[in-house]
Amino acid sequence: MESQIIRPGHLTAHQTARQLGITLGGVRLLVHRGQLARSGGTVGQPWYSIEDVTALVIKRQTRNAA
């Protein structure tokens, strides 16, 4: 279940997964590998910085375009 109240400038795990085109498990793997850091929320409902997620989206787009 997604949190209804989120601090501005952050995305939930579900929103992050949608932006990156991956599953929630994929988001957890990115965190585990150090490619994405939690920036708030709780253990069960982490939040991620919009800037960090946007940077990952751009990185993936440029890698796929090459």
Side-chain angles (χ1 to χ4, degrees):
M1 183 171 146
E2 282 189 67
S3 174
Q4 297 298 320
I5 301 171
I6 187 165
R7 201 169 41 178
H10 292 81
L11 297 171
T12 65
H14 286 92
Q15 292 168 330
T16 299
R18 278 193 297 265
Q19 289 296 315
L20 293 169
I22 60 176
T23 64
L24 289 174
V27 173
R28 285 189 292 272
L29 276 174
L30 290 174
V31 172
H32 178 72
R33 293 176 181 162
Q35 297 175 357
L36 182 64
R38 296 176 183 189
S39 63
T42 64
V43 173
Q45 294 183 336
W47 300 341
Y48 302 96
S49 165
I50 288 176
E51 291 84 13
D52 292 347
V53 174
T54 301
L56 266 177
V57 169
I58 292 169
K59 180 180 176 182
R60 287 170 161 252
Q61 288 175 343
T62 57
R63 183 185 67 201
N64 291 338

